Amino acid sequence: FGLPLGTPVRQIVVMQSTFTGPVYVVGDNIDTDQIIPAQFLNLIPTIPDEYEKLGAYALWGLPDSLYTTRFVKEGALDTEYPIVIAGRNFGCGSSREHAPWALCDYGFQAVVSTEIADIFRNNSLKNGLLPIIVDEATHAWLLANSGVEVEIDLTTSSLKLADGRSVTFPIDGFARYCLTNGVDELGFLLSKDAEIKRYEASRRA
């Protein structure tokens, strides 16, 4: 992007350990070009005006005929849906990091499915989004209840449904730490700079 070496592309927001909100339901095979169409990939999140524009185009590639309620309302500064319930293979297609950027920058916090594309899942964890894998029965209930409110507790790795049921989901401890502390892998390493230097000095002695 022509940015000075070492410039962070975007600031990762600290994720609340527990959050609640209505869900936005999408179908199978939602690719990254539907999440953020290619014509918006020139927007750079470190530039304030462009940062504000990027999130406005989250899920802009979904067909209007199938999604009459938009993920981000025209002119809105954030989405009312912090949680996306997705069909199979969400985030397939190109590996563009703009996909999780766009979703996160307008208030998206988690995506729930039975199948999330590996590259999108890894990009999400590195950029402050929580990808959640649930069982088929839970997934089917969520798909059938668009707009219902659910609660996600990152501390206990649990998702609570409106009908009172609660299910757990897998997430490794390092990813949980980064999400709840608002750091990526590089930020974590930089926080250990003094310890790394002490270790290196001890090896040279």
Side-chain angles (χ1 to χ4, degrees):
F1 298 127
L3 298 174
L5 186 64
T7 301
V9 175
R10 60 179 298 276
Q11 180 67 45
I12 298 177
V13 177
V14 175
M15 179 174 286
Q16 294 178 321
S17 58
T18 303
F19 55 94
T20 304
V23 302
Y24 187 83
V25 174
V26 297
D28 295 339
N29 302 313
I30 302 300
D31 61 39
T32 51
D33 196 52
Q34 291 175 294
I35 297 172
I36 183 68
Q39 65 263 36
F40 304 123
L41 298 186
N42 63 329
L43 300 177
I44 304 172
T46 48
I47 301 175
D49 288 344
E50 296 190 359
Y51 174 91
E52 292 169 3
K53 292 176 183 176
L54 182 63
Y57 300 123
L59 294 177
W60 194 263
L62 296 177
D64 291 334
S65 59
L66 296 179
Y67 300 93
T68 53
T69 300
R70 303 303 298 181
F71 178 68
V72 179
K73 292 180 179 179
E74 190 73 31
L77 296 178
D78 55 22
T79 179
E80 61 183 298
Y81 304 100
I83 302 160
V84 170
I85 307 302
R88 295 183 182 280
N89 205 24
F90 184 81
C92 57
S94 73
S95 60
R96 65 189 66 170
E97 212 164 6
H98 277 67
W101 289 346
L103 291 167
C104 187
D105 290 342
Y106 257 48
F108 171 83
Q109 292 179 281
V111 59
V112 181
S113 181
T114 54
E115 183 182 333
I116 299 173
D118 287 342
I119 293 177
F120 177 83
R121 179 180 180 278
N122 289 330
N123 281 341
S124 294
L125 287 172
K126 292 175 181 178
N127 285 282
L129 301 183
L130 177 60
I132 295 175
I133 301 297
V134 295
D135 61 272
E136 295 280 357
T138 300
H139 187 234
W141 187 91
L142 289 166
L143 288 175
N145 288 275
S146 181
V148 71
E149 288 208 356
V150 300
E151 178 183 297
I152 293 173
D153 189 332
L154 190 52
T155 304
T156 59
S157 303
S158 62
L159 183 153
K160 186 175 181 180
L161 306 180
D163 64 3
R165 282 183 294 157
S166 183
V167 296
T168 58
F169 55 86
I171 181 171
D172 69 73
F174 179 66
R176 189 202 319 273
Y177 174 88
C178 289
L179 287 169
T180 54
N181 287 275
V183 297
D184 57 12
E185 294 172 353
L186 179 58
F188 175 81
L189 288 174
L190 289 174
S191 73
K192 304 296 181 181
D193 183 59
E195 296 172 46
I196 293 170
K197 287 178 178 177
R198 282 197 298 270
Y199 174 78
E200 289 177 339
S202 71
R203 300 292 289 177
R204 289 194 296 267

